[in-house]
Amino acid sequence: MPETVSDTRARLTGHVARFREEGIEAEPVIFGERRKPQAALLPYETFQLLLDVAEDVVIAERIRRRDAADSGNRTTLEELAAEFGVDLDEL
């Protein structure tokens, strides 16, 4: 059951102490007005993990889109260098 905003405010120091002690294993605190879930308070380690996972999801979606749009045509470095008049031996 979500906490009220005022209960969360009153217990904030205790929640932070629990997060410090339990780390990523600590349960988040869900709270909101009239006990309606509106926000979550969680350990910073959990937040960091969620950001990493979200980034992975975004990257995976980009890969899926690029893969779906891939024509299958490939160009070698040598072909590209020749097209732009670059002598790879001089690099």
Side-chain angles (χ1 to χ4, degrees), residues 16-37:
V16 172
R18 182 172 57 83
F19 293 163
R20 188 179 317 107
E21 181 180 312
E22 297 177 18
I24 201 164
E25 299 298 322
E27 289 290 321
V29 178
I30 309 301
F31 63 98
E33 292 181 9
R34 298 188 183 119
R35 297 191 186 277
K36 178 182 174 190

Side-chain angles (χ1 to χ4, degrees), residues 53-71:
V53 169
E55 182 181 20
D56 290 348
V57 169
V58 168
I59 291 169
E61 179 56 29
R62 286 180 186 160
I63 291 169
R64 276 192 288 279
R65 280 191 308 231
R66 288 178 184 168
D67 189 46
D70 185 9
S71 67

Side-chain angles (χ1 to χ4, degrees), residues 4 17-18 25-26 31-32 34 37 40 43 45 57 66-67 72 74 76 78-79 82 84 88:
T4 63
R18 182 172 57 83
E25 299 298 322
F31 63 98
R34 298 188 183 119
E45 292 170 307
V57 169
R66 288 178 184 168
D67 189 46
R74 300 292 182 264
T76 66
E78 289 77 15
E79 291 169 335
F84 289 101
L88 294 176

Side-chain angles (χ1 to χ4, degrees), residues 8 19 27-32 36-43 46-47 50:
T8 303
F19 293 163
E27 289 290 321
V29 178
I30 309 301
F31 63 98
K36 178 182 174 190
Q38 295 173 320
L41 184 65
L42 55 134
T46 304
F47 174 72
L50 289 172

